[in-house]
């Protein structure tokens, strides 16, 4: 319409205060931050549980829930009211499935949490990968009702557990849900705990990093409030929120060079190019020069925001909004890596990874998923089969890798992407997850 839009913000470069960010961070004694992913078979009650958690912590109010309930009833699905708290957008609601990672944050006295919600539908595994690649720990939701636990075990419970473990998540809280449907049977809880703990250990989780909480997401028992139902007086352990608070987040890579994966790109009043994402490593401050990969373009930090407040700096583990200057928006896309220009991530098209096989692996076409992005590629070579726990070479140059084995493989991608050792990658083929693991 003839209006000239400002594409590149070329106002004078912002001045750096040259703060020692790590010292500032120490001084501030910021609240512990932790993020978790919620996994489990479809219909296990994940959304309901998270809705209940937010309701009981008063992050959302009963009025919002009532509003959703009315809407739900008009569609004949009133039981979904709590689940809907997590689902934004009516399109998602009318399908009754959460379709993206809803990043929901809440705080307790000790910790600021981010829920990386992961819907259980098969097609949504790529979203779960994105969630798990950022998570400090996982809540595995199990449907304890008769028959459901057994079919969940055959279904996604096992696949999700394998996936989160191979993505580097080491702590899991098992929410033994819907125990109200079996009259809070301790026997049922013990039986489920026994079986789940068996396969979680076989998957590589250490027993000390697994805990079980008997609960009901629908009724709100043992989530924030301890159940007063005499039928569950046998349980004296922590509630779900206590387990969450007791979980130690993974060590933050504060002293490493800056790395941030771009999760959103948009325009704001402050800048024609504003991005958001979680700082994976290092720190940044206003005025810093940044490098965007794969484009290799430089930009400057014009302003920073944390939790909608302007701030001078941000560190690893925080979700930050960055207003950029001196860069054309065409050079930045979702999934790009923002890094330190003096210590940048390089773009590669071939890498070696230690992969846990979910299916038979051989030289074949695969989709390489890293965070929310994926690229076409192929398994070029299987270098060795490794011992699952020690990583020692068991067999060199095997023809194939059988499911549940760990192997060192070489993968070639169709294009160069920013990737470096330690990153979590998932390989899929024909819509199925075939392997997951860490870049070496
Ligand atoms: P998701 O697919 O794992 O997110 O599962 P939902 O949260 O959508 O729940 C699936 C169904 O289980 C819904 O009908 C819920 O009302 C029901 N549900 C969830 N939690 C409980 C619970 O603790 N007890 C009972 N009885 N039903 C539950």
């Amino acid at each position: 319409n003839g209006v000239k839009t400002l594409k590149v913000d070329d106002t004078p470069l912002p001045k750096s205060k040259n703060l020692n960010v790590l010292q500032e961070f120490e001084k501030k004694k910021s609240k512990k931050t932790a993020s978790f992913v919620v996994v489990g078979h479809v219909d296990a009650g994940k959304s309901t549980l998270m809705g209940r958690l937010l309701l009981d912590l008063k992050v959302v109010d009963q009025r919002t829930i009532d509003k959703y309930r009315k809407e739900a009833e008009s569609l004949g699905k009133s039981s979904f009211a709590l689940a809907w708290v997590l689902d934004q957008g009516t399109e998602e609601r009318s399908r009754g499935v959460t379709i993206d990672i809803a990043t929901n944050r809440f705080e307790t006295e000790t910790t600021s949490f981010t829920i990386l919600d992961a819907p259980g539908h098969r097609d949504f595994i790529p979203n779960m990968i994105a969630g798990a690649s950022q998570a400090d720990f996982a809540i595995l939701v199990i449907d304890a009702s008769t028959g459901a636990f057994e079919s969940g075990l055959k279904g996604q419970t096992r696949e999700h557990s394998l996936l989160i473990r191979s993505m580097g998540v080491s702590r899991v809280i098992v929410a033994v849900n819907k125990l109200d449907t079996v009259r809070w049977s301790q026997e049922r809880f013990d039986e489920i705990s026994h079986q789940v703990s068996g396969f979680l250990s076989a998957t590589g989780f250490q027993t000390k990093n697994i805990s079980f909480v008997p609960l009901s997401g629908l009724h709100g028992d043992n989530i924030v409030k301890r159940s007063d139902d005499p039928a569950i007086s046998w349980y004296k352990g922590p509630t779900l929120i206590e387990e969450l608070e007791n979980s130690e987040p993974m060590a933050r890579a504060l002293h490493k060079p800056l790395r941030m994966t771009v999760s959103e790109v948009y325009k704001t009043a402050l800048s024609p190019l504003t991005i958001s994402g979680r700082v994976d490593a290092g720190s940044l401050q206003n005025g810093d020069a940044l490098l965007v990969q794969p484009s290799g373009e430089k930009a400057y930090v014009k302003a920073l925001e944390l939790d909608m407040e302007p701030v001078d700096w941000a560190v690893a583990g925080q979700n930050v909004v960055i207003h950029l200057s001196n860069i054309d928006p065409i050079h930045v896309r979702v999934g790009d890596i923002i890094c330190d220009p003096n210590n940048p991530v390089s773009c590669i098209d071939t890498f070696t990874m230690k992969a846990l096989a979910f299916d038979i692996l051989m030289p074949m076409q695969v989709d390489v998923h890293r965070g929310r992005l994926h690229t076409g590629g192929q398994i070029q070579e299987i270098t060795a089969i490794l011992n699952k726990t020690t990583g020692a070479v068991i067999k060199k140059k095997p023809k194939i890798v059988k499911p549940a084995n760990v192997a060192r493989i070489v993968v070639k991608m169709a294009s160069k992407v920013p990737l470096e050792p330690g990153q979590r990658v998932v390989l899929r083929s024909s819509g199925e997850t075939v392997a997951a693991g860490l870049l070496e």
Side-chain angles (χ1 to χ4, degrees):
N1 53 5
V3 181
K4 197 171 159 242
T5 50
L6 173 70
K7 264 186 109 186
V8 181
D9 178 353
D10 51 7
T11 49
L13 293 186
K15 267 235 159 57
S16 174
K17 285 192 193 168
N18 283 320
L19 298 170
N20 181 333
V21 173
L22 295 186
Q23 242 169 40
E24 296 291 318
F25 176 63
E26 280 301 316
K27 262 197 281 179
K28 202 172 163 222
K29 287 262 171 289
S30 306
K31 224 179 221 187
K32 181 166 96 178
T33 59
S35 59
F36 60 90
V37 67
V38 188
V39 301
H41 197 64
V42 62
D43 281 343
K46 298 177 293 296
S47 311
T48 307
L49 182 62
M50 288 305 107
R52 169 61 71 180
L53 187 70
L54 298 178
L55 177 68
D56 288 357
L57 287 168
K58 305 201 165 45
V59 179
V60 292
D61 53 16
Q62 189 61 49
R63 269 187 46 212
T64 310
I65 304 267
D66 288 344
K67 200 184 103 208
Y68 284 140
R69 179 165 290 138
K70 270 218 188 90
E71 252 179 76
E73 274 167 4
S74 73
L75 288 165
K77 297 188 193 167
S78 62
S79 65
F80 275 26
L82 274 173
W84 283 14
V85 172
L86 280 180
D87 302 355
Q88 284 110 22
T90 37
E91 190 209 343
E92 290 167 31
R93 261 183 253 144
S94 54
R95 275 195 275 151
V97 220
T98 323
I99 61 161
D100 197 1
I101 315 176
T103 306
N104 286 279
R105 240 169 291 164
F106 66 92
E107 286 195 13
T108 62
E109 254 167 47
T110 63
T111 317
S112 167
F113 289 102
T114 302
I115 310 176
L116 305 155
D117 188 42
H121 192 281
R122 278 198 94 72
D123 295 348
F124 297 134
I125 291 252
N127 280 339
M128 192 177 103
I129 295 166
S133 66
Q134 295 181 8
D136 289 307
F137 37 85
I139 298 181
L140 170 62
V141 183
I142 302 268
D143 182 344
S145 57
T146 312
F149 165 62
E150 289 72 12
S151 56
L153 258 194
K154 285 191 212 97
Q156 292 142 338
T157 309
R158 205 180 287 272
E159 185 185 9
H160 288 184
S161 309
L162 275 168
L163 198 55
I164 54 174
R165 182 65 200 107
S166 50
M167 295 299 277
V169 175
S170 57
R171 159 120 178 93
V172 56
I173 301 167
V174 184
V176 183
N177 193 29
K178 306 197 194 182
L179 265 189
D180 55 295
T181 63
V182 289
R183 278 168 273 102
W184 295 102
S185 159
Q186 180 174 11
E187 206 183 315
R188 181 72 172 159
F189 175 73
D190 289 344
E191 176 200 331
I192 290 176
S193 306
H194 180 74
Q195 284 205 40
V196 173
S197 122
F199 87 74
L200 286 179
S201 332
T203 308
F205 288 96
Q206 289 181 285
T207 321
K208 68 172 171 57
N209 289 330
I210 314 170
S211 44
F212 296 87
V213 186
L215 48 82
S216 166
L218 192 60
H219 301 290
D221 293 305
N222 289 341
I223 294 163
V224 176
K225 290 177 245 170
R226 197 163 280 283
S227 176
D228 51 12
D229 189 332
I232 196 186
S233 58
W234 52 266
Y235 182 71
K236 305 274 186 268
T239 57
L240 181 68
I241 191 72
E242 286 166 348
E243 283 290 359
L244 284 171
E245 290 199 291
N246 292 340
S247 303
E248 268 313 304
M250 295 204 257
R252 305 280 174 238
L254 295 173
H255 299 275
K256 297 241 172 87
L258 172 72
R259 297 291 184 264
M260 183 189 113
T261 309
V262 178
S263 60
E264 280 176 298
V265 179
Y266 48 100
K267 224 189 275 183
T268 54
L270 264 179
S271 168
L273 182 56
T274 296
I275 58 174
S276 72
R278 178 178 177 275
V279 182
D280 297 317
S283 62
L284 73 167
Q285 61 182 304
N286 286 326
D288 273 359
L290 306 175
L291 186 81
V292 182
Q293 286 287 51
S295 71
E297 294 287 323
K298 251 191 180 178
Y300 289 85
V301 182
K302 189 178 180 189
L304 286 172
E305 278 173 42
L306 274 182
D307 294 326
M308 327 261 270
E309 299 285 336
V311 290
D312 285 330
W313 49 266
V315 297
Q318 294 177 321
N319 282 290
V320 68
V321 170
I322 313 177
H323 302 284
L324 294 173
S325 75
N326 303 84
I327 185 166
D328 189 318
I330 60 164
H331 298 305
V332 185
R333 286 167 312 174
V334 168
D336 283 358
I337 309 287
I338 302 293
C339 56
D340 176 354
N342 299 316
N343 210 331
V345 55
S346 43
C347 296
I348 53 170
D349 63 2
T350 306
F351 62 85
T352 302
M353 74 182 283
K354 203 166 145 183
L356 169 71
F358 287 44
D359 210 326
I360 293 179
L361 302 182
M362 57 186 100
M364 62 201 250
Q365 300 290 328
V366 284
D367 244 346
V368 182
H369 288 251
R370 46 190 180 98
R372 279 173 207 231
L373 282 197
H374 56 100
T375 319
Q378 62 185 58
I379 299 177
Q380 225 173 20
E381 189 188 321
I382 301 165
T383 320
I385 303 282
L386 308 174
N387 178 299
K388 241 188 250 182
T389 37
T390 64
V393 173
I394 297 175
K395 187 179 176 194
K396 282 189 181 163
K397 292 202 180 280
K399 284 215 169 63
I400 61 161
V401 187
K402 288 196 191 127
N405 282 328
V406 172
R408 177 170 291 124
I409 61 176
V410 180
V411 178
K412 183 162 170 47
M413 294 173 293
S415 58
K416 286 200 166 186
V417 296
L419 261 183
E420 58 191 344
Q423 266 183 286
R424 301 160 173 183
V425 176
V426 171
L427 306 181
R428 292 175 50 90
S429 169
S430 317
E432 300 282 335
T433 305
V434 293
L438 301 178
L439 238 75
E440 292 194 310

